[in-house]
Amino acid sequence: MTLTSRLARRADLPELLPLIDAAINELQKGFLDPAQIASSRSIMGIDTQLIDDGTYFVVEAAGRLAGCGGWSRRATLYGGDHSEGRDPAMLDPARDPAKVRAMYTHPDCTRRGVGRLILARCEEAAAAEGFRTLELMSTLAGRPLYEAAGFVPVEEVEEPAGGVPVRLVRMRKPIGAPAR
């Protein structure tokens, strides 16, 4: 499968939203129970600020969307447009890690390099702006990808926002660190 990537546009939202919905529904099975998957929706989803900032990518395969994800120079670590507690403050690349955000792969396209391509694009773009570290908040389903890409766990948390606690893992990676 040949993958291409480009910056996302707001015009992509009608295609991105069902992809994200399918990823949340299908790829968390085996990691979360149905109540936790439903609860995770309070903290997952698209953050259109990333699109507006020009830091959100889409990956296409054979003319259709295979995945999406991005990075941010803002303080918010995770959450969609609807999530509480978002912080639009700008980060200092000399001191703060860039945030990898809102990564989703269509269930038909897993384990084909979609996530790795997005992570590579994020790392390259963040490095170009002077960031030296990437940070993300991983779902349990995403953790294997991020560990394979060289991220290491720094903290495990339970997010109660959706009513049923959902386990998440804060992870970091120095930019340029090798993947495993």
Side-chain angles (χ1 to χ4, degrees):
M1 169 175 9
T2 301
L3 301 175
T4 60
S5 64
R6 63 172 171 79
L7 287 174
R9 302 177 296 264
R10 283 217 176 220
D12 294 318
L13 287 172
E15 288 182 78
L16 287 172
L17 296 175
L19 181 151
I20 291 167
D21 190 56
I24 291 169
N25 282 339
E26 295 302 318
L27 301 182
Q28 293 190 101
K29 290 178 180 174
F31 295 92
L32 301 178
D33 65 35
Q36 290 171 312
I37 292 171
S39 184
S40 73
R41 290 183 174 285
S42 69
I43 57 167
M44 296 179 79
I46 192 78
D47 181 346
T48 53
Q49 183 68 62
L50 301 175
I51 295 172
D52 295 344
D53 286 348
T55 61
Y56 202 66
F57 302 100
V58 295
V59 172
E60 297 171 316
R64 66 182 267 249
L65 291 185
C68 54
W71 71 282
S72 183
R73 58 181 79 86
R74 297 179 185 273
T76 299
L77 180 57
Y78 64 96
D81 285 345
H82 61 282
S83 300
E84 303 264 333
R86 294 160 34 100
D87 183 353
M90 298 301 277
L91 300 170
D92 177 355
R95 163 183 95 232
D96 301 317
K99 311 302 185 197
V100 173
R101 305 274 317 282
M103 298 265 303
Y104 300 97
T105 299
H106 191 283
D108 293 341
C109 300
T110 59
R111 292 174 184 73
R112 296 188 180 156
V114 173
R116 284 190 183 260
L117 177 57
I118 293 167
L119 290 172
R121 293 288 313 268
C122 291
E123 185 168 345
E124 178 183 284
E129 290 196 21
F131 286 94
R132 297 184 301 238
T133 306
L134 296 174
E135 179 179 58
L136 58 83
M137 187 65 85
S138 176
T139 62
L140 297 181
R143 184 176 181 168
L145 166 67
Y146 301 130
E147 286 181 333
F151 285 82
V152 295
V154 294
E155 174 186 28
E156 293 192 19
V157 300
E158 280 197 348
E159 173 58 67
V164 176
V166 176
R167 287 183 32 220
L168 301 170
V169 183
R170 181 187 300 253
M171 304 180 82
R172 286 198 182 129
K173 175 188 177 185
I175 288 179
R180 296 178 196 166

